[in-house]
């Protein structure tokens, strides 16, 4: 019997937990703790622990497929490449779009970016996860100089107070949630702003049940209360920041009473939150890229500058990520070039007939709704590269089988900027290949062999380290230890655990306050009386994991018991959820753990207000 452990990185959320892949007789059979990895110290949530299940799922794509009429037929790689090359050559660059993935490795995204720019001659490249990351990343970059989390996850354990807003770490990023539990055990005060009584909210010393979309008002209210009490860090503000007065003036209208009215909370709660946060040193902010608008991120950055909570352990703005390589995909350039289109803009352009061909690598964009599916149907040519026959792949002209994270080498960069290895543990299923290899071979089929003659993933990473300044000095050899390296790499020796300990990455070395004003969004009322709080949806990997589907077999809409009673809806009943964009049927979870007037459903719905009614034939 052949038995081995192969150290790697979990393919799910942006925590980047270290895992040991257990391989028996050439098959990936389980996960074993990797205690030395500093991110999770051997602990793993259900997703990482059961990751071998989707890798071994019998629905995996095993060979290239070419659509003939309405049906797919198995094809050789040579024939698939020929089909793709001919189709891409027939389309002008600005009529082609490329969609990368925040789950692909740095090497995949780097090669795809170069393929788009140098072979397809298009600036239309974007990664799907960026649509919920872009504003948050820009907010951090504008404030501090880098569009990345300021601190390490382990730092949370040193905080004396933690404000959590727009995030539910204990359920969405569980090993980040563990650090918050450790902080509480060390005496930290936890403040959670959420209309739901989540697992994270149950941990809170102060749970603020603010209405969805009022986070900016709340944070501005906390800032205003701190300044009014004279508790701002005047010395830090003077030495390390600029434009404080502008931010102060913009936040001034958010008095405790004004925030209470907007957010549906008590004014005393705002004052209490300000007192807790101002009294704690250090204090940290935790939010999520998907839930954090640019204004919210800038407001949170303002709060941390007001209190001097940047550049030290237990402080900073900690931006949690939903996908394993959301940070790395941006780092290596899988973003629109000059004049290039974002993913939503590509979809609109496809619907309008301006984008004629699309190359989608590792994303199921059709799951976002009927408008995306309709737009894809208008394309002349669609190539999809993935592990499974997703809704997007079903619409493709050519489908190519990707190797999973356990079947390839590469790197991913987690939310705390830690560049870590993924290592090949088993052979790919069927004739599946790593994404970078497939992309390179398509390039060769289109006459660009010289620029894509990569020997392996390590050779690609060497190119990344030459071109991406933050990665300079990092090599595969220096990533062998479980601690890996956090960028910027300080010559590739130790990395940087905490940003801005000396100065900010701005031109003048100072952080920039922003004049963030609270702007009320779409309010619930009239035809759509229920506000929506975002719920993390399950994606392709989770739905192909048997253990996860047993626990969460279907998406649910969580509704307050009083709202449900008024609508005549029973727990477990089928209901119709309607917004301006359309309707969907779901199962009702009637609960006391959500604020009256608010419902929670998967974030992919992307709506602010809905109405709910009993489904035809439902209870």
């Amino acid at each position: 019997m052949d038995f081995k452990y192969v150290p790697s990185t979990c393919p799910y959320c942006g925590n980047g937990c270290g895992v040991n892949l257990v391989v028996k007789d050439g098959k990936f059979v389980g996960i074993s703790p990797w205690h030395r990895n500093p991110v999770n110290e051997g602990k793993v949530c259900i997703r990482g622990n059961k990751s071998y299940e989707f890798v071994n799922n019998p629905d995996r794509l095993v060979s290239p497929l070419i659509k003939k009429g309405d049906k797919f037929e198995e094809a050789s790689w040579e024939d698939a490449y020929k089909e793709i090359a001919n189709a891409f050559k027939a389309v002008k660059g600005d009529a082609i779009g490329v969609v990368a993935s925040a789950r692909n490795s740095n090497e995949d995204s780097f090669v795809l970016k170069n393929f788009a720019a140098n072979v397809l001659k298009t600036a239309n490249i974007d990664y799907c996860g960026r649509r919920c990351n872009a504003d948050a990343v820009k907010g951090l970059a504008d404030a501090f100089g880098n569009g990345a989390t300021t601190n390490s996850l382990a730092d949370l354990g040193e905080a004396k107070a933690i404000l959590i807003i727009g995030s539910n770490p204990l359920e969405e990023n569980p090993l980040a949630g563990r650090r918050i539990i450790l902080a509480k055990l060390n005496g930290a005060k936890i403040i959670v702003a959420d209309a739901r009584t989540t697992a994270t909210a149950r941990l809170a010393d102060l749970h603020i049940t603010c209405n969805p979309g009022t986070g900016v008002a709340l944070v501005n209210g906390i800032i205003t209360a701190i300044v009014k009490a004279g508790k701002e860090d005047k010395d830090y503000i003077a030495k390390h920041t600029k434009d404080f007065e502008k931010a102060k003036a913009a936040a001034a209208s958010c008095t405790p009473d004004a925030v209470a009215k907007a957010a549906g909370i008590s004014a005393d709660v705002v004052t209490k939150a300000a007192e807790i946060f101002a009294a704690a040193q250090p204090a940290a902010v935790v939010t999520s890229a998907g839930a954090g608008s640019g204004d919210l991120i800038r407001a949170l950055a303002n709060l941390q500058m007001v209190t001097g909570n940047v550049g030290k352990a237990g402080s900073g703005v900690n931006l949690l990520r939903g996908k394993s390589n959301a940070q790395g995909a941006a780092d290596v350039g899988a973003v629109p070039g000059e004049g290039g289109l974002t993913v939503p803009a590509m979809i609109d352009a496809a619907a309008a007939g301006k984008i004629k061909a699309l190359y989608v690598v590792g994303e199921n964009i059709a799951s976002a709704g009927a408008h995306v599916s309709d737009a894809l149907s208008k394309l002349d040519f669609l190539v999809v590269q993935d592990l499974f026959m997703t809704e997007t792949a079903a619409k493709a002209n050519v489908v190519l089988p990707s190797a999973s994270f356990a079947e390839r080498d590469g790197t991913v960069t987690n939310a705390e900027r830690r560049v870590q290895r993924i290592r090949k543990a088993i052979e790919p299923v069927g004739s599946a290949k790593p994404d970078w290899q497939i992309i390179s071979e398509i390039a060769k089929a289109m006459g660009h062999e010289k620029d894509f003659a990569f020997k392996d993933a390590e050779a690609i990473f060497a190119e990344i380290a030459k071109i991406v300044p933050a990665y300079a000095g990092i090599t595969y050899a220096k990533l062998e230890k479980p601690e890996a390296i956090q960028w910027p790499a300080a010559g590739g020796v130790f990395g940087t655990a905490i940003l801005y300990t000396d100065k900010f990455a701005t031109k003048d070395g100072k952080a920039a306050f922003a004049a963030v004003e609270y702007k009320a969004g779409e309010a619930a009322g009239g035809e759509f009386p229920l506000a929506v709080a975002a719920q993390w949806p399950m994606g392709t990997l989770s739905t192909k994991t048997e253990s996860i589907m047993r626990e969460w077999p279907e998406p649910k809409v969580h509704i307050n018991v009083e709202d449900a009673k008024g609508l005549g809806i029973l727990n477990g009943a089928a209901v119709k959820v309607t917004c301006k964009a359309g309707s969907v049927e779901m199962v009702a979870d009637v609960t006391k753990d959500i604020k009256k007037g608010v419902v929670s459903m998967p974030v992919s719905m992307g709506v602010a207000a809905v109405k709910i009614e009993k489904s035809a034939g439902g209870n």
Side-chain angles (χ1 to χ4, degrees):
M1 179 180 72
D2 180 45
F3 187 88
K4 62 182 179 181
Y5 289 152
V6 179
S8 192
T9 306
C10 178
Y12 278 95
C13 81
N15 284 359
C17 293
V19 291
N20 279 310
L21 313 188
V22 182
V23 179
K24 178 182 177 183
D25 294 332
K27 187 174 182 180
F28 179 18
V29 296
I31 292 291
S32 178
W34 192 10
H35 295 289
R36 270 194 60 192
N37 188 285
V39 176
N40 55 313
E41 298 176 326
K43 282 73 175 175
V44 189
C45 77
I46 186 174
R47 289 171 294 178
N49 196 38
K50 300 297 181 179
S51 56
Y52 63 93
E53 291 185 2
F54 80 76
V55 172
N56 295 321
N57 190 295
D59 293 339
R60 285 281 303 279
L61 293 168
V62 296
S63 65
L65 302 171
I66 297 177
K67 188 171 283 182
K68 304 289 186 181
D70 293 331
K71 295 183 178 181
F72 284 109
E73 294 182 4
E74 288 193 6
S76 67
W77 281 103
E78 183 181 359
D79 287 344
Y81 291 151
K82 184 177 180 180
E83 186 92 359
I84 294 167
N86 289 337
F88 282 164
K89 286 177 180 178
V91 183
K92 290 184 179 180
D94 58 1
I96 301 179
V98 177
V99 179
S101 174
R103 292 206 188 283
N104 285 341
S105 71
N106 290 318
E107 292 78 3
D108 297 328
S109 293
F110 182 78
V111 173
L112 187 61
K113 177 203 72 168
N114 285 304
F115 177 78
N118 301 320
V119 179
L120 299 181
K121 306 295 183 183
T122 182
N124 302 328
I125 178 171
D126 195 14
Y127 68 95
C128 203
R130 206 179 68 87
R131 63 185 175 184
C132 59
N133 282 254
D135 285 349
V137 169
K138 185 178 185 301
L140 285 179
D142 289 345
F144 302 142
N146 281 315
T149 290
T150 60
N151 288 56
S152 302
L153 289 172
D155 284 353
L156 290 173
E158 299 186 40
K160 298 305 179 185
I162 303 175
L163 170 62
I164 304 167
I165 184 168
S167 182
N168 176 18
L170 265 71
E171 295 175 31
E172 297 168 351
N173 300 83
L175 275 302
R178 172 178 174 262
R179 296 294 183 179
I180 295 167
I181 293 173
L182 293 175
K184 185 175 177 68
L185 292 174
N186 287 335
K189 297 293 184 182
I190 310 298
I191 306 168
V192 176
D194 200 319
R196 307 162 297 168
T197 305
T198 62
T200 305
R202 291 189 181 93
L203 191 68
D205 296 279
L206 179 63
H207 178 200
I208 305 173
T209 56
C210 53
N211 293 329
T214 60
V216 171
L218 175 62
V219 177
N220 275 357
I222 293 172
I223 291 171
T224 298
I226 288 173
V227 173
K228 184 178 179 181
K231 299 294 185 181
E232 73 271 27
D233 190 332
K234 298 178 180 65
D235 185 59
Y236 185 88
I237 292 169
K239 289 181 178 179
H240 301 287
T241 74
K242 60 185 179 183
D243 298 330
F244 169 62
E245 291 300 326
K246 292 180 181 178
K248 177 182 172 181
S253 63
C254 291
T255 62
D257 287 338
V259 175
K261 183 177 180 180
I265 57 177
S266 165
D268 293 341
V269 171
V270 182
T271 303
K272 181 65 174 175
E275 290 172 351
I276 292 172
F277 206 80
Q281 279 293 336
V285 162
V286 173
T287 187
S288 116
S293 68
D295 282 351
L296 177 59
I297 298 301
R298 290 307 303 268
L300 291 170
N302 286 349
L303 173 62
Q304 294 302 71
M305 288 184 278
V306 163
T307 54
N309 276 303
V310 187
K312 55 189 175 185
S315 70
V317 179
N318 297 274
L319 189 66
L320 303 183
R321 302 298 188 95
K323 293 187 177 182
S324 59
N325 204 32
Q327 182 66 53
D331 292 343
V332 302
V335 296
E338 185 176 352
L341 301 178
T342 63
V343 170
M346 284 187 238
I347 299 304
D348 291 342
K354 295 179 181 178
I355 289 286
K356 302 291 186 182
L358 203 61
Y359 183 17
V360 181
V361 182
E363 282 289 352
N364 183 19
I365 57 176
S367 66
H371 69 293
V372 178
S373 186
D374 291 343
L376 296 179
S377 297
K378 295 181 180 181
L379 292 168
D380 292 341
F381 196 74
L382 173 62
V383 181
V384 173
Q385 206 163 291
D386 216 321
L387 300 178
F388 298 98
M389 180 59 73
T390 62
E391 295 96 325
T392 307
K395 289 186 166 292
N397 299 88
V398 179
V399 178
L400 305 173
S402 296
S404 73
F405 84 110
E407 300 161 345
R408 61 201 303 180
D409 289 311
T411 59
V412 290
T413 306
N414 76 350
E416 58 177 6
R417 300 168 283 102
R418 193 181 301 272
V419 184
Q420 301 184 102
R421 287 291 312 280
I422 53 174
R423 294 173 175 86
K424 183 176 179 180
I426 58 174
E427 291 301 317
V429 297
S431 65
K433 299 180 181 182
D435 288 302
W436 68 263
Q437 184 178 340
I438 298 172
I439 299 160
S440 296
E441 289 173 354
I442 295 174
K444 293 171 187 176
M446 295 179 69
H448 291 261
E449 183 170 358
K450 182 180 178 182
D451 294 332
F452 291 84
F454 298 111
K455 177 184 176 183
D456 52 25
E458 185 172 4
I460 300 168
F461 190 83
E463 292 299 310
I464 293 172
K466 291 177 184 176
I467 293 171
V468 180
Y471 288 57
I474 305 178
T475 65
Y476 270 29
K478 291 175 180 176
L479 296 177
E480 279 304 303
K481 292 183 179 180
E483 294 78 14
I485 293 175
Q486 289 172 271
W487 70 250
V493 180
F494 300 112
T496 307
I498 303 170
L499 295 177
Y500 320 126
T501 56
D502 184 24
K503 63 180 180 178
F504 289 89
T506 54
K507 287 184 179 179
D508 60 6
K510 290 190 173 185
F513 276 97
V516 181
E517 296 182 359
Y518 168 63
K519 305 177 186 71
E522 180 184 350
E527 185 181 358
F528 305 107
L530 299 167
V532 176
Q535 180 191 128
W536 196 323
M538 289 199 299
T540 302
L541 302 189
S542 293
T543 56
K544 294 297 183 179
T545 301
E546 184 179 349
S547 296
I548 293 176
M549 293 307 295
R550 280 199 303 268
E551 292 285 334
W552 298 280
E554 57 197 348
K556 293 183 178 181
V557 54
H558 305 285
I559 181 170
N560 179 272
V561 288
E562 293 184 38
D563 291 326
K565 184 177 181 181
L567 294 168
I569 293 171
L570 300 178
N571 187 48
V575 296
K576 183 181 179 182
V577 183
T578 305
C579 67
K580 289 180 180 178
S583 299
V584 64
E585 291 203 353
M586 304 181 79
V587 172
D589 178 14
V590 178
T591 176
K592 295 180 180 179
D593 291 339
I594 193 164
K595 188 175 184 177
K596 188 176 185 298
V598 179
V599 298
S600 179
M601 64 183 67
V603 73
S604 58
M605 289 287 290
V607 295
V610 298
K611 69 176 179 181
I612 295 181
E613 53 198 328
K614 288 190 286 188
S615 179
N619 290 328

